[in-house]
Amino acid sequence: MGSSRRRGQHRLLGGLLALSSLLLLASGEVFFEERFEDGWETRWVRSDWKRSEGKAGTFKHTAGRYSGDPDDKGLIAKKLTDPSVLLLLWTLGIQTTMDARHFAISAKFPEFSNKNRTLVVQYSIKFEQDIECGGGYIKLMSGYVNQKKFSGDTPYSLMFGPDICGTQTKKLHLILSYQGQNYPIKKDLQCETDKLTHVYTFILRPDASYSILVDNRERESGSMYTDWDILPPRKIKDVHAKKPKDWDDREYIEDPNEVKPEGYDSVPKEIPDPKDKKPDTWDDDDDGIWKPRMTPNPAYKGPWKRKKIKNPNYKGKWKTPWIDNPEFEDDPDLYVLKPLKYIGIEVWQVKAGSVFDNILICDDPEYARKVVDETWGANKEAEKEAFEEAEKERKAREDREAQRAREEGERRRRERGDRDRGRDRYKRRYRDHWDDYHDEL
């Protein structure tokens, strides 16, 4: 009876979220949206990749440990500005389980092309485990994909999301496929590494410009023309260019009107030290003519140089000019991916426990922003509080365990001391008997 009541609540929630989505999406189109409500398993296919080798991990339907939903039922009542109105939040996602495993799962949606439209790809990920080394990215695939065989070798058109390994690698991947070849972004993008949920958004526009948002804040932006090595650059430096002979790149020059003062060169560099006195024992016949030591002349100013003045003919530092690259051939469809049809999660993790949620593919950045606000934005404080409370409990538990370990160590030291004292008393008790015995011998 309880489970049927929960299913009714979930269906009601699904209706509310669907209505909310319709209200938010004033224009544009949603191609795929997954909040992992009841029935999500009918939309996703678990791959058999690595299963026969015993290296395939599984996904668990859960909100994780720090969701703000202590019962892990997926529903949280959130008060809005009007205290009489409650917003029901769906918090469940899918979490990787089993350490040192490969995870592969995918979903299919109606095929579409991003030609002449903006592409928005967005999802949330929570690394609530000490991942050590592993990925948390998603992939979009084109053409036909055998979902039961979906693997790391399956071609993809876009890969986006974090990849963490040790303390050195905290990378945010963004790889695009062009004419069958994968091209990673040239920028060094960093991902979030704490144990809370974060939302990653990639926006690709018809002019080949892009934006990357983390938690609804722009982290990076640019153009496919400059930030990927897909096409040759539009402009290159003219390797045959030479600085013109009349190019004056001296910012300062000597003042031609300045004249050297009369007698300047006659000032000696050193002079006899006036404080040096001839020793009384000095004999000119035997020691030679006495001369005082030389000392630096305070009036000497070094070789004369004209003062520097601004060069009126200064043209700046000469730079090699840029010219049109003869090898550049524009592709107005550079931003167009192969028609997209599948989304997949394919990662390997040393430590499992990552929660994927709120996946969205659409063509309206404003709708995507509002989805972040109504999901992550509405629950982030509750999640943070739950995490901080769990951390306090963990710290207290570790402190108790450390105290028990200290007490156990002290108890063992006391027992060893008691045993040592017992042996000493035994030795002292029987030592006199042994002495008497030796005396008799």
Side-chain angles (χ1 to χ4, degrees), residues 253-261 264-265 300-309:
I253 59 172
E254 293 182 348
D255 184 355
N257 298 320
E258 190 177 15
V259 179
K260 183 192 298 185
Y264 185 93
D265 291 337
Y300 178 73
K301 298 180 180 180
W304 183 79
K305 295 180 181 180
R306 288 187 174 91
K307 293 180 180 178
K308 295 281 187 177
I309 62 173

Side-chain angles (χ1 to χ4, degrees), residues 339-352:
L340 300 169
K341 197 174 180 180
Y342 301 88
I343 182 168
I345 300 170
E346 178 278 308
V347 295
W348 177 83
Q349 296 183 340
V350 173
K351 295 288 186 181

Side-chain angles (χ1 to χ4, degrees), residues 179-241:
Q179 296 183 354
Q181 184 173 343
N182 293 337
Y183 293 90
I185 192 170
K186 294 189 292 184
K187 292 180 178 179
D188 183 18
L189 305 178
Q190 299 293 302
C191 66
E192 301 298 312
T193 57
D194 59 34
K195 295 185 177 182
L196 300 176
T197 298
H198 294 284
V199 184
Y200 293 91
T201 307
F202 173 57
I203 303 171
L204 180 60
R205 306 177 186 88
D207 63 356
S209 66
Y210 73 92
S211 295
I212 297 172
L213 286 70
V214 179
D215 299 339
N216 255 358
R217 294 186 177 182
E218 186 171 83
R219 176 73 61 86
E220 194 61 67
S221 63
S223 171
M224 285 183 64
Y225 284 100
T226 56
D227 294 342
W228 278 263
D229 287 326
I230 298 176
L231 298 180
R234 290 179 183 268
K235 298 284 186 177
I236 59 173
K237 288 186 176 182
D238 185 359
V239 295
H240 301 294

